[in-house]
Amino acid sequence: GAWMRKNGSAIYATSASPFRRLSWGRCTQKRTTTGGTLYLHVWDWPADGRLLLPGLRCQVTSARVLTTRATVRAKQTPQGVELALPGSAPDPISSTVEVRWKGAIEVEQSPQTQAADGVTELRAADAEIHGSQAQYEHGEQRDNIGFWLDPADWVSWRLAVVRPGRYRIEAVLAGPGGSQLEVVIGDRRVRVTSPPTGDYGRFETAPAGELLLTAGTVAVEVRPVAQGWQPVNLKALRLVPAP
């Protein structure tokens, strides 16, 4: 309640984020006929004050910290709009930055990058879904690709490989078990068999073998094997550096 009294404008009458994924938090927005406002919910306040809005292309007219009204400088870079935030976060959990723009707005969806230790989790919420029936589910015991009734449907992510090497592939799955999925990265592929978890909301991690990744941007695909297919729920695909 105390947070909402200060930050309510970043919640009420807003719509979903134009960004597919933000490493530092979340975003809401309000659009008008001439522009709009982004509300950045910053969970991880950057120590160096630099906050990137990846792939954002628009004319920023002003930016400020919502509760303190401190002015925030914004500049366009090849990677997106970069903000120069004050030194400390005004809220220990979620601080709100208000960014106003005019004219058109576009977000170029950039590929996901690997973490510093090389471990990568490709989440269902960030997947591109190809097909007519599979869809993203959220809510209690969900946050997954579900309704995967047609084995012709498949999902994909774009990944910028900056730490090439051999990786162990793991899939976080739920369902009756026995179905096979093929993980395809470039011209390399491995298969994973879904474990019998007893419930579509009870997820387990299943190994899918190892793949050698080379540097560059690649498509990571998960495709059902049609023979013996039963619907599964896919929560995430993990790539872990192999010893």
Side-chain angles (χ1 to χ4, degrees), residues 187-206:
D187 60 352
R188 303 172 180 90
R189 59 190 66 213
V190 291
R191 285 191 179 187
V192 57
T193 301
S194 62
T197 67
D199 187 276
Y200 276 102
R202 185 179 297 120
F203 291 88
E204 294 183 10
T205 299

Side-chain angles (χ1 to χ4, degrees), residues 107-119:
V107 176
E108 298 175 357
Q109 299 295 350
S110 55
Q112 185 170 333
T113 58
Q114 295 173 294
D117 60 1
V119 176

Side-chain angles (χ1 to χ4, degrees), residues 94-222:
S94 179
S95 301
T96 307
V97 178
E98 178 188 83
V99 178
R100 296 181 182 273
W101 86 87
K102 72 175 182 179
I105 184 173
E106 179 185 357
V107 176
E108 298 175 357
Q109 299 295 350
S110 55
Q112 185 170 333
T113 58
Q114 295 173 294
D117 60 1
V119 176
T120 303
E121 181 166 283
L122 303 173
R123 304 182 309 156
D126 302 321
E128 183 175 354
I129 302 173
H130 310 265
S132 59
Q133 297 190 61
Q135 58 186 269
Y136 173 68
E137 296 183 279
H138 64 91
E140 186 177 1
Q141 293 185 311
R142 286 300 183 264
D143 185 25
N144 60 262
I145 304 298
F147 293 96
W148 213 335
L149 304 171
D150 188 346
D153 293 356
W154 56 285
V155 299
S156 67
W157 300 262
R158 289 176 65 227
L159 175 66
V161 179
V162 295
R163 292 169 179 80
R166 183 166 292 278
Y167 283 81
R168 186 172 70 249
I169 313 299
E170 302 172 345
V172 184
L173 301 164
S179 293
Q180 286 194 316
L181 299 123
E182 196 164 55
V183 180
V184 183
I185 304 178
D187 60 352
R188 303 172 180 90
R189 59 190 66 213
V190 291
R191 285 191 179 187
V192 57
T193 301
S194 62
T197 67
D199 187 276
Y200 276 102
R202 185 179 297 120
F203 291 88
E204 294 183 10
T205 299
E210 295 183 1
L211 288 175
L212 183 65
L213 302 186
T214 55
T217 299
V218 297
V220 180
E221 304 173 358
V222 177

Side-chain angles (χ1 to χ4, degrees), residues 16-59:
S17 171
F19 302 96
R20 178 172 293 176
R21 182 178 185 273
L22 293 168
S23 62
W24 42 258
R26 297 293 184 268
C27 176
T28 53
Q29 65 172 319
K30 292 176 182 175
R31 295 204 182 201
T32 68
T33 55
T34 58
T37 304
L38 296 174
Y39 296 98
L40 314 178
H41 303 265
V42 185
W43 299 346
D44 298 316
W45 196 266
D48 61 1
R50 297 168 59 189
L51 189 78
L52 180 66
L53 305 181
L56 181 63
R57 302 284 182 263
C58 68
Q59 183 180 350

Side-chain angles (χ1 to χ4, degrees), residues 3 6-10 37-43 45-46 49-51 60-74 83-100:
W3 188 91
K6 297 178 181 179
N7 299 272
S9 59
T37 304
L38 296 174
Y39 296 98
L40 314 178
H41 303 265
V42 185
W43 299 346
W45 196 266
R50 297 168 59 189
L51 189 78
V60 175
T61 58
S62 67
R64 66 175 184 171
V65 179
L66 185 61
T67 55
T68 66
R69 301 182 182 274
T71 300
V72 172
R73 297 193 310 275
L83 303 179
L85 302 183
S88 58
D91 188 282
I93 299 174
S94 179
S95 301
T96 307
V97 178
E98 178 188 83
V99 178
R100 296 181 182 273

